Amino acid sequence: AVRRVPKDDLRRIAKATGGELVLTMADADGSEVFDPEWLGEAREVSEERIGDGEIIYVKGCVKTAAQTIVLRGANEYFLDEVER
């Protein structure tokens, strides 16, 4: 399970995996329901430590072939220069 993920990142993960964001699992009667159609699909989800932080990798997404490049540098100024 992944916790404390920004809403924009959750949207990206849902789009990439074919999942659906669900705010609550409660129905109109107040009981909880779960629909397997809400789930997305990925070949692998892993968390790796890089430097002082943890990065979550979602690999083999069914809906997209998006790529990410992770940049590390001595400070923010260096990373800003690399980004340009």
Side-chain angles (χ1 to χ4, degrees):
V2 179
R3 292 188 189 181
R4 299 184 190 100
V5 178
K7 191 179 283 188
D8 288 341
D9 291 346
L10 285 175
R11 286 187 183 117
R12 289 183 189 109
I13 292 169
K15 184 177 181 181
T17 61
E20 183 178 330
L21 289 181
V22 178
L23 298 178
T24 181
M25 293 173 59
D27 63 5
D29 298 329
S31 59
E32 289 188 355
V33 295
F34 175 76
D35 185 357
E37 295 288 321
W38 295 339
L39 294 176
E41 186 177 343
R43 183 182 77 246
E44 177 185 352
V45 177
S46 62
E47 181 177 20
E48 295 181 24
R49 186 166 198 67
I50 296 182
D52 293 334
E54 291 86 23
I55 304 259
I56 297 169
Y57 292 96
V58 182
K59 301 176 183 177
C61 297
V62 296
K63 295 288 184 177
T64 186
Q67 304 296 318
T68 300
I69 299 173
V70 178
L71 298 175
R72 289 189 62 218
N75 55 39
E76 289 293 322
Y77 175 75
F78 177 78
L79 292 175
D80 290 339
E81 290 299 314
V82 170
E83 188 175 355
R84 284 189 224 160

